[in-house]
Amino acid sequence: MRGSSLETTSDQVEAPSSALGTISKHMKTNGKVRTACSLCLNFCGVIAYVENGKITKIEGDPDNPRNHGHLCAKGLAGAITAYSPNRVTKPLIRTNPKKGLSEDPRWKEISWEEALDRISFKVKETKEKTERELGIKLSEKPSTTLPDTHPWSQKIIFATFDYWSIHGIQLAWVKALDAYLCALSACYYCGNSVHPPSYLNTSTFEVMVDAEYSKYILLIGAQAGSIIHYDTMNVAKHIAENRPGKVKVVSIDPVAGYAASKAEEWVPIRPGTDAAFVLSLVNLLINDYRIFDAEFLKSKTNAPYLVDSSNGLYIRDQITGKPMIWDRSASGARPFDQVSPHDQSLEGTFNVNGVACKTAFQMIKEHVRAYSPEEASRITAIPPETIKRIARELGDAACIGKTIRIGGKDLPYRPVSIVWYRGLSAHRHSFLAGLACILLPTILGAIQVPGSIHGHPPAPETIDKDGMMVSVPPWLGEPYPPRTPTRPKRVDVFELFPSAIYSMQLIPAVLKHPEKFGIDPKEFVWPEIMFIFRDNVVKNSVSPEEVIEGFSKIPYIVDFSLDLDETANSLADIVLPELHHLEKLAEGLYHRVEEPGYWYGAKPVIRPPFEAPWNELVSNGQVFLEIAKRAGFDHEIFNVLNDVWSLKGTRFQLNPANDYTYEDLIDRRLKVWLGQDKGLNWLMSDEGGLTTWEIKPEEKYPGAFRKGRIHVYFEFMLKAKKELDNLTKEIGLSWDTDDYQPIPDWKPCPSFKNKNEEFNLFLVNYKVPVLAHAVGRYNPLARKLVFARKHIESVLINPITAEKLGVRDGDQIEIETWKGRKRNGVVEISERIHPEVLGTSQHELVKGVDFNYLVTLDEDTLDFTSGAIDACLLVKIKKVEQKVVVH
């Protein structure tokens, strides 16, 4: 008998393992299969057609509300890579101990049995060593994941960009070992200034367009409805069906990318100046046009809270400690929860107990006056008249005061959606830019009501003593309230980012020089094992040399690889064959709360082209279960699954003393989640894998029903700054805390500040759908699509700039950053790029520029508040002699 049995209720019965053989029974050699695509975060529903066990065609699932039968080129071509001749088909072990881009790993094939034994031994050895150091078994201590991970948790690192793995057996594995879970590549540039503001005011991970009711869509460094984004297909469908005249898309971007090319208006902007543009819109709306949702601001935000004019902190009641609001009916200040919205003063200057104070909204009004259209134009290069017009259009489109009846209830109608993404995030000072962006829809009341910004996925909400909504992300840090900073011990120095939601992108830099981040070497727990799957961090982050130098310090790295990518070849000690997305069963599966509500899952369409250790290898989760079994802690996995899958207290609760098949685990998961008629048999059946239901307005539009207030004034940033200043002074660490301010500002990124006559161009990257996240680089059909459009691999230069520099279409140029890094590229002259900017694709295929090679992680490029890395590069160019290629 292993482990200890869980207590069970008297009516609880161990469910029979009826799912065994279900996957084999239902997998087809001919016919069509309902599944899902996981090549990007939209997760479209898919219908796959199979003949003789091979996929012959992919199309969108017309019944899936996620994509309504549509698929992008990447998804349509996705099956081809399942048949790549370069696929890893056997476990491989590195025989060359040296690691690096130029090193030949000298791979040697080994059996699955040997591979699993090797990995299990390392895991068991590390687990036992950790438990000896702790003086306690990991299974007996409270399990934690981010953000509360203890330093010993970094002994084993899980790096994955596989969405469903975060919710599946891998998550239980991580929690059972108290290991460190992270998604490395995307965190360098992706949503560092998107996710924290979104959690602050929507309690969701990601801001999105309301694909049903939005009429004015402002994209700021984002390509919603075009490139990777949540709900891409619904947004694209909404825009297409409401043209011409019923919807307007305005794209603010240095490059007219795919979204801008389809927008009603493209507004070129200097890179890294988005905050100045947004704050100018806020200034015009509240000071000049007087367009803002006063009712919303009073009842749903901290806009009426009184703020001490001298220090920016709330004026608090001396008895209750609660923030105060000026009560017009009583001509005095009272606690926020004792003043009706009707009697609240939204604007004004007051005196409370001898202290001069203003409402938070008044503070914002005065602060943003510095961002006149003329000043914003000087910074952004957008004409003042354009800024004024967009502000007016946005304000008029917001329909302040109007309502719409949905589901028998009258709801606020604010059909404007403001969405921002990497173009705004990948800069120093971008946390402030993100706060500016969330401020804009908030003053318009356009938060999670019909037509406004929405979010996905939702996090649990609570209300704190100040009346503010607190979002609790399931495996990330919350931006509010700020965490108390402490001397860093963690491998990501998350202790130094009290209002960020992650800082995992710093791991290579910390591993190289932990002392530079204030870490005491005696207290630092060095990672010993790292597992990587669906995360090519060497290719998709910053300079590969920096990444490899850092991660090479981890003694043992296991990589699940479809093809041998840069990360596997440069870093892995052992490689396991990865499954193609159409060979997988998604353990996390998908759950959407939209109209209509729906759930759908991914299931295997074909079998992998290699001899697997089991008859049915359909998930990495099976591999991790086997490793846990061999390392002697599989019973702990079952304990965790009872919690994370809500099995506890049901007839499907797992007894840790028993053995369970993978199929049985998934069957129980489904039945507890969806109902006893929707287990694994249902998922694998022709009819299964998709279910829909109607949801209430309260679920779809929580902004209209939220009890807690959200932020327009970010007072908590002052507390974070004070505590961080005290800590860094105490430990002697140089750390920039100037961006911790309650009202956002625009601040110039390094490229903007260091521009001179020699280095006078900004290099940015653009994206294309078929290469998003580098998925598709080795897909022959995707590559054919890329090469059919020559500009995909070219360096875009504006005609005015090209004439000044004396370059022509097809010229080869050398691009040199102001930090001395160089790459060559081929010119394409185009009017769809700002005159001060060069644009190149993210990844080179044949003749393109490897953009990430040019990016460095250092004191200049790090955003000390969000952890973002600045990807706006200051460069110069020169023509180089082209080599003659003889065919």
Side-chain angles (χ1 to χ4, degrees):
M1 182 78 73
R2 299 171 310 173
S4 57
S5 299
L6 292 172
E7 292 184 7
T8 59
T9 56
S10 58
D11 59 345
Q12 188 174 346
V13 179
E14 177 79 10
S17 179
S18 59
L20 190 61
T22 297
I23 296 174
S24 291
K25 180 173 66 177
H26 286 286
M27 284 191 68
K28 296 182 175 181
T29 55
N30 293 283
K32 62 180 183 178
V33 182
R34 165 174 282 152
T35 185
C37 175
S38 65
L39 292 178
C40 86
L41 297 179
N42 196 68
F43 299 118
C44 291
V46 164
I47 300 294
Y49 292 83
V50 182
E51 291 182 13
N52 298 320
K54 303 285 186 180
I55 297 174
T56 58
K57 184 172 69 169
I58 294 288
E59 64 184 22
D61 183 351
D63 297 324
N64 194 311
R66 188 66 178 167
N67 56 307
H68 302 279
H70 301 290
L71 280 182
C72 72
K74 180 171 73 273
L76 290 168
I80 293 179
T81 50
Y83 306 106
S84 167
N86 299 318
R87 283 194 66 173
V88 177
T89 58
K90 293 184 178 180
L92 304 171
I93 187 169
R94 176 185 294 271
T95 62
N96 178 8
K98 293 183 179 180
K99 296 184 177 182
L101 275 175
S102 60
E103 293 293 337
D104 180 0
R106 300 203 293 267
W107 294 117
K108 175 186 174 183
E109 291 184 357
I110 59 175
S111 68
W112 274 96
E113 188 71 17
E114 181 181 353
L116 292 173
D117 275 345
R118 284 175 176 266
I119 298 168
S120 302
F121 175 79
K122 288 286 186 181
V123 171
K124 182 178 181 181
E125 182 182 52
T126 301
K127 179 178 183 291
E128 291 175 349
K129 177 182 176 183
T130 305
E131 290 177 337
R132 285 196 303 271
E133 293 174 355
L134 290 176
I136 185 175
K137 288 188 177 295
L138 289 177
S139 59
E140 295 173 358
K141 64 177 284 296
S143 182
T144 61
T145 53
L146 286 173
D148 300 319
T149 307
H150 298 96
W152 55 75
S153 304
Q154 61 204 38
K155 286 279 193 176
I156 300 177
I157 294 177
F158 253 64
T160 176
F161 192 67
D162 206 334
Y163 179 86
W164 54 48
S165 299
I166 295 174
H167 303 282
I169 288 173
Q170 287 91 321
L171 174 60
W173 207 90
V174 167
K175 291 178 75 69
L177 288 182
D178 203 24
Y180 179 107
L181 177 63
C182 59
L184 292 173
S185 300
C187 299
Y188 282 86
Y189 313 115
C190 181
N192 307 69
S193 69
V194 178
H195 310 314
S198 183
Y199 276 125
L200 281 174
N201 282 13
T202 72
S203 191
T204 67
F205 181 71
E206 180 83 13
V207 291
M208 304 188 311
V209 174
D210 180 4
E212 189 169 358
Y213 293 108
S214 190
K215 300 300 181 187
Y216 195 98
I217 301 171
L218 182 62
L219 303 178
I220 307 173
Q223 302 202 55
S226 176
I227 305 293
I228 277 185
H229 212 277
Y230 295 85
D231 213 23
T232 302
M233 293 300 179
N234 276 323
V235 174
K237 178 175 179 287
H238 168 72
I239 292 171
E241 290 177 351
N242 284 280
R243 281 176 168 164
K246 291 183 180 180
V247 66
K248 180 173 184 178
V249 178
V250 178
S251 174
I252 312 296
D253 203 298
V255 183
Y258 275 67
S261 70
K262 304 298 182 184
E264 274 69 26
E265 182 175 6
W266 167 52
V267 180
I269 186 174
R270 283 194 184 110
T273 64
D274 312 88
F277 167 73
V278 174
L279 290 170
S280 187
L281 298 181
V282 173
N283 171 43
L284 288 164
L285 286 167
I286 64 179
N287 285 316
D288 290 27
Y289 305 152
R290 299 288 296 174
I291 301 176
F292 50 87
D293 192 337
E295 181 180 349
F296 176 83
L297 290 170
K298 288 180 179 180
S299 61
K300 302 289 186 181
T301 79
N302 64 350
Y305 285 16
L306 294 174
V307 175
D308 188 325
S309 301
S310 65
N311 61 24
L313 299 174
Y314 293 147
I315 298 291
R316 295 183 178 273
D317 181 64
Q318 294 178 352
I319 298 175
T320 65
K322 294 179 179 180
M324 307 274 275
I325 286 176
W326 191 262
D327 186 342
R328 292 183 300 171
S329 64
S331 297
R334 300 175 64 196
F336 72 90
D337 54 357
Q338 296 180 22
V339 187
S340 69
H342 174 75
D343 293 326
Q344 295 176 11
S345 290
L346 185 59
E347 304 172 59
T349 300
F350 308 94
N351 188 292
V352 177
N353 298 325
V355 177
C357 58
K358 302 173 182 178
T359 67
F361 191 67
Q362 183 69 32
M363 297 280 285
I364 294 167
K365 283 185 60 180
E366 296 175 7
H367 182 89
V368 297
R369 284 197 179 106
Y371 296 94
S372 66
E374 292 73 24
E375 175 62 10
S377 177
R378 181 190 70 80
I379 297 168
T380 66
I382 299 175
E385 296 75 19
T386 302
I387 298 173
K388 292 177 184 178
R389 174 177 54 78
I390 292 174
R392 173 62 76 175
E393 290 176 351
L394 196 63
D396 290 344
C399 299
I400 304 296
K402 291 188 178 181
T403 61
I404 186 171
R405 193 163 185 81
I406 298 174
K409 296 189 177 183
D410 292 322
L411 305 176
Y413 178 56
R414 305 288 179 271
V416 292
S417 291
I418 296 97
V419 178
W420 64 102
Y421 215 68
R422 173 181 169 155
L424 182 142
S425 289
H427 299 279
R428 186 164 184 182
H429 311 299
S430 65
F431 195 92
L432 288 173
L435 295 183
C437 281
I438 199 67
L439 177 61
L440 182 56
T442 305
I443 66 169
L444 296 172
I447 301 287
Q448 293 173 297
V449 296
S452 71
I453 61 170
H454 284 241
H456 174 84
E461 295 181 23
T462 61
I463 302 174
D464 72 359
K465 61 181 178 58
D466 288 345
M468 304 302 295
M469 182 266 287
V470 177
S471 177
V472 187
W475 67 286
L476 298 165
E478 71 282 351
Y480 173 83
R483 299 171 299 280
T484 300
T486 59
R487 182 165 192 150
K489 297 180 181 179
R490 285 176 41 156
V491 70
D492 58 1
V493 292
F494 195 52
E495 300 94 332
L496 298 177
F497 294 88
S499 288
I501 67 166
Y502 52 69
S503 58
M504 53 197 76
Q505 61 275 16
L506 292 180
I507 295 177
V510 175
L511 289 173
K512 284 197 300 180
H513 299 291
E515 70 283 353
K516 288 188 177 181
F517 294 88
I519 292 176
D520 183 345
K522 296 177 182 178
E523 296 183 345
F524 185 58
V525 179
W526 209 271
E528 297 191 13
I529 304 174
M530 182 162 72
F531 291 90
I532 304 174
F533 43 103
R534 283 291 297 272
D535 204 335
N536 186 358
V537 64
V538 169
K539 186 65 176 177
N540 295 339
S541 52
V542 294
S543 164
E545 296 95 333
E546 294 185 40
V547 175
I548 293 170
E549 184 182 352
F551 282 123
S552 291
K553 296 183 181 297
I554 298 178
Y556 200 72
I557 296 177
V558 180
D559 194 324
F560 290 76
S561 193
L562 199 67
D563 293 345
L564 285 170
D565 60 25
E566 291 81 359
T567 299
N569 278 323
S570 300
L571 288 172
D573 294 281
I574 191 165
V575 170
L576 295 179
E578 171 66 297
L579 294 167
H580 187 272
H581 72 279
L582 294 173
E583 297 163 357
K584 286 185 178 180
L585 186 144
E587 295 160 19
L589 309 166
Y590 311 123
H591 186 203
R592 306 291 175 185
V593 181
E594 294 165 16
E595 185 65 45
Y598 53 95
W599 180 98
Y600 62 107
K603 56 192 175 187
V605 178
I606 54 174
R607 300 185 185 279
F610 53 79
E611 185 178 342
W614 303 277
N615 291 332
E616 296 176 348
L617 177 60
V618 294
S619 169
N620 290 336
Q622 294 167 280
V623 177
F624 286 110
L625 275 175
E626 181 64 19
I627 293 170
K629 183 176 182 179
R630 296 184 184 209
F633 63 96
D634 51 327
H635 56 285
E636 297 168 30
I637 301 289
F638 302 147
N639 261 329
V640 176
L641 287 175
N642 280 326
D643 290 327
V644 299
W645 282 358
S646 301
L647 306 180
K648 188 178 291 184
T650 74
R651 67 186 294 265
F652 299 104
Q653 178 171 317
L654 301 171
N655 185 333
N658 294 346
D659 287 321
Y660 297 94
T661 67
Y662 175 79
E663 289 182 321
D664 192 34
L665 293 176
I666 299 302
D667 189 53
R668 291 164 184 258
R669 158 70 152 156
L670 290 168
K671 288 176 178 176
V672 168
W673 199 358
L674 301 175
Q676 296 193 27
D677 61 333
K678 289 184 170 62
L680 189 55
N681 268 304
W682 168 81
L683 173 66
M684 293 298 299
S685 68
D686 289 344
E687 303 79 25
L690 172 66
T691 182
T692 63
W693 62 90
E694 296 295 321
I695 62 173
K696 299 176 182 178
E698 294 92 327
E699 296 174 296
K700 186 173 183 183
Y701 299 111
F705 303 93
R706 181 169 283 122
K707 300 298 182 184
R709 295 173 181 264
I710 60 177
H711 301 262
V712 292
Y713 183 77
F714 307 99
E715 191 247 17
F716 67 90
M717 295 285 279
L718 296 173
K719 175 179 181 291
K721 175 179 172 57
K722 181 179 179 180
E723 292 182 342
L724 198 50
D725 281 339
N726 290 339
L727 170 71
T728 53
K729 181 179 180 181
E730 176 187 338
I731 65 177
L733 176 65
S734 176
W735 198 257
D736 186 356
T737 63
D738 288 347
D739 286 2
Y740 286 88
Q741 53 188 74
I743 307 174
D745 271 312
W746 170 77
K747 297 182 181 182
C749 64
S751 292
F752 197 97
K753 289 193 299 184
N754 290 288
K755 189 177 180 182
N756 56 42
E757 290 186 3
E758 182 182 11
F759 290 92
N760 56 9
L761 293 170
F762 303 111
L763 177 67
V764 301
N765 78 289
Y766 54 81
K767 292 185 178 181
V768 294
V770 293
L771 297 182
H773 289 154
V775 176
R777 281 191 301 130
Y778 302 114
N779 183 315
L781 184 53
R783 289 171 71 91
K784 186 174 182 180
L785 290 172
V786 168
F787 295 141
R789 301 176 65 103
K790 65 172 184 175
H791 69 260
I792 295 301
E793 280 220 290
S794 302
V795 179
L796 301 182
I797 302 180
N798 186 279
I800 298 172
T801 309
E803 185 175 358
K804 288 181 180 178
L805 297 174
V807 296
R808 299 180 179 180
D809 261 330
D811 282 351
Q812 189 172 69
I813 58 171
E814 178 188 80
I815 300 173
E816 180 179 354
T817 73
W818 69 294
K819 295 190 176 183
R821 302 186 71 82
K822 300 177 182 179
R823 274 293 185 264
N824 287 2
V826 177
V827 168
E828 181 192 358
I829 298 174
S830 173
E831 292 186 350
R832 59 189 190 88
I833 190 162
H834 192 285
E836 299 173 32
V837 178
L838 304 178
T840 181
S841 60
Q842 182 79 23
H843 300 288
E844 90 283 8
L845 295 180
V846 176
K847 60 182 180 178
V849 175
D850 186 354
F851 181 86
N852 289 348
Y853 170 84
L854 299 171
V855 182
T856 58
L857 195 169
D858 49 45
E859 190 172 348
D860 287 319
T861 58
L862 174 64
D863 180 64
F864 283 79
T865 312
S866 72
I869 309 302
D870 202 310
C872 170
L873 307 178
L874 184 60
V875 301
K876 67 177 181 179
I877 67 169
K878 68 176 182 180
K879 285 200 295 185
V880 296
E881 183 178 347
Q882 298 193 47
K883 296 179 181 179
V884 177
V885 179
V886 179
H887 295 282

